[in-house]
Amino acid sequence: MAYQSASELTKMMLEFLKDGGNEVWRNNNLAVRGRAFIGRKGVPDIIGYNKKYGYFVCCEIKAIGDRMSADQMLFLEELSMAGGTAMLCQQVRDETIQVKIYKDGENEDWRFEKGQLRK
């Protein structure tokens, strides 16, 4: 697996989360030139809910070299403390994608090697 763009990582995580029983979608939370930003800062790239249990699910995507903002980290932590599942998906080197899962104030790291996030 070579370098993955944020868009490619997003597509992979959307598929992975949907296969896991979640209803998820891309969250477009971009500022528009000439308009004041009126959304919630830090909302992740993917949001949705678990179809079986109803809890909120979200995932922030970061390609190699990208960093999380304080607002993004706060959102993930607050959602985790409120009972939702928050995730951070980032490619940490060419062959590995790390998914950090935040749930109930705890977190754990999952590592995926070549092809594991794809069908």
Side-chain angles (χ1 to χ4, degrees), residues 40-42 67-77:
R40 162 85 194 256
K41 288 185 177 182
R67 295 180 186 233
M68 286 198 18
S69 71
D71 290 326
Q72 290 169 330
M73 192 66 225
L74 181 63
F75 191 99
L76 296 182
E77 289 174 355

Side-chain angles (χ1 to χ4, degrees), residues 74-87:
L74 181 63
F75 191 99
L76 296 182
E77 289 174 355
E78 287 179 344
L79 176 63
S80 166
M81 296 299 289
T85 298
M87 294 174 230

Side-chain angles (χ1 to χ4, degrees), residues 17 22-27 46-51 54-59 79 85:
L17 290 168
N22 299 290
E23 180 66 33
V24 291
W25 56 91
R26 285 179 193 246
N27 176 50
I46 298 172
I47 59 174
Y49 58 91
N50 180 275
K51 291 193 258 187
Y55 57 80
F56 192 83
V57 175
C58 71
C59 184
L79 176 63
T85 298

Side-chain angles (χ1 to χ4, degrees), residues 51-118:
K51 291 193 258 187
K52 185 173 183 179
Y53 300 106
Y55 57 80
F56 192 83
V57 175
C58 71
C59 184
E60 181 62 38
I61 305 293
K62 294 295 177 193
I64 291 176
D66 290 347
R67 295 180 186 233
M68 286 198 18
S69 71
D71 290 326
Q72 290 169 330
M73 192 66 225
L74 181 63
F75 191 99
L76 296 182
E77 289 174 355
E78 287 179 344
L79 176 63
S80 166
M81 296 299 289
T85 298
M87 294 174 230
L88 167 62
C89 172
Q90 62 186 142
Q91 188 170 17
V92 291
R93 61 181 197 272
D94 282 348
E95 297 295 321
T96 305
I97 295 171
Q98 177 177 311
V99 178
K100 185 176 285 277
I101 301 173
Y102 302 84
K103 181 109 174 109
D104 299 324
E106 303 290 321
N107 69 69
E108 64 180 88
D109 291 340
W110 292 11
R111 288 193 182 269
F112 296 92
E113 298 299 327
K114 260 186 176 172
Q116 287 182 305
L117 281 176
R118 295 186 184 264

